[in-house]
Amino acid sequence: MTPCRRTLLAWAGSVGLTGWAPAVQAGRQAEEPLADSVRTALAAAVADSGAPPRLDFPSLDARLAHLRWLGAMSQRLAKRKPDFDVRREFLETVWYESRRAGLDTALVLGLIEVESGFRKYAISVVGARSYMQVMPFWARLIGDGDASRLFHMQTNLRFGCVILRHYLDREKGDLFMALGRYNGSRGKAPYPTMVMAARRRWEFADSASLTPIVSPTSR
């Protein structure tokens, strides 16, 4: 284990015990050359059909487990988003987009907490936007070129999840390195530490049983 990773684990443990995480400022995702095949795949992954998220569940038990998750997360998010309908829509969309990208939903919620504090119109000093602090160049590289759409909730969450999935694939599943790349601080411990500590605040006991089927028509 490298010193950097030992630092990550030690700091994550201490933050988890205290429940406190220092405020951070979103970093800069680096604009890197993309192979044509990668660009095409990412563009397809962020393409928006215009349909709202829709989840199909294989059983009533799975649906009830999802509703328990939604209720628990809604309570945790109430101080950040007081309006019930607003936070329900937000949580359902995070659920959908994280699972669509093959990501842990608690991880995505933790990343959003660290990146933007759940503020839809957050803008960093380097121009990263909205919940997942997506840099505008991504709209040009893999979107329709309209960076203003990154303030649209589902668009921002979709871009953020697809980008994190891309970084995880590039780092061969190494979450520590992928999170650093997402923040523009690859190989440094502070940012991954804070995200992993925040992730624990959004974990749910029933999460292992929550395996929805994403409707192909809603992609």
Side-chain angles (χ1 to χ4, degrees), residues 8-9 21 43 78 90 117 122 126 133 143 153 182 187 189 200 203 208-209:
L8 169 63
L9 293 173
F90 171 78
V126 295
Q133 291 290 278
M153 178 182 63
Y182 191 95
R200 287 199 293 276
E203 289 177 344
S209 65

Side-chain angles (χ1 to χ4, degrees), residues 6-211:
R6 284 195 294 270
T7 301
L8 169 63
L9 293 173
W11 193 11
S14 64
V15 172
L17 288 173
T18 62
W20 173 84
V24 297
Q25 187 169 293
R28 182 192 297 271
Q29 294 157 359
E31 182 173 355
E32 302 171 347
L34 296 176
D36 288 343
S37 59
V38 174
R39 187 193 304 271
T40 299
L42 291 176
V46 300
D48 186 357
S49 67
R54 192 185 79 191
L55 296 177
D56 295 327
F57 293 86
S59 67
L60 177 60
D61 286 344
R63 176 61 179 166
L64 291 175
H66 172 72
L67 291 175
R68 289 194 295 273
W69 172 86
L70 185 62
M73 296 304 105
S74 181
Q75 289 182 355
R76 297 179 197 181
L77 193 60
K79 289 184 179 180
R80 306 266 192 169
K81 291 186 176 296
D83 185 276
F84 173 77
D85 289 333
V86 169
R87 67 176 181 270
R88 179 192 56 78
E89 182 184 15
F90 171 78
L91 287 167
E92 288 280 20
T93 307
V94 171
W95 168 273
Y96 176 86
E97 295 298 339
S98 61
R99 301 261 166 162
R100 179 180 182 272
L103 298 171
D104 173 45
T105 305
L107 171 66
V108 173
L109 285 167
L111 185 146
I112 293 170
E113 178 183 326
V114 170
E115 284 284 343
S116 66
F118 297 98
R119 290 176 294 130
K120 181 177 181 179
Y121 295 106
I123 304 176
S124 77
V125 294
V126 295
R129 301 184 176 195
S130 196
Y131 291 116
M132 295 189 74
Q133 291 290 278
V134 178
M135 290 292 288
F137 70 78
W138 284 108
R140 170 173 47 81
L141 285 178
I142 61 175
D144 61 5
D146 184 0
S148 68
R149 294 188 67 239
L150 294 175
F151 288 112
H152 179 265
M153 178 182 63
Q154 187 173 5
T155 300
N156 185 270
L157 295 173
R158 177 161 297 187
F159 268 76
C161 288
V162 167
I163 292 164
L164 181 56
R165 178 76 260 169
H166 168 61
Y167 288 151
L168 266 171
D169 292 343
R170 285 203 60 182
E171 298 292 350
K172 298 179 172 57
D174 188 323
L175 183 56
F176 175 87
M177 299 301 286
L179 286 173
R181 190 182 285 276
Y182 191 95
N183 179 252
S185 59
R186 184 178 183 272
K188 298 179 181 179
Y191 178 80
T193 297
M194 286 183 280
V195 172
M196 295 305 291
R199 175 191 197 174
R200 287 199 293 276
R201 291 193 282 275
W202 299 99
E203 289 177 344
F204 183 61
D206 282 347
S207 60
S209 65
L210 302 177
T211 310

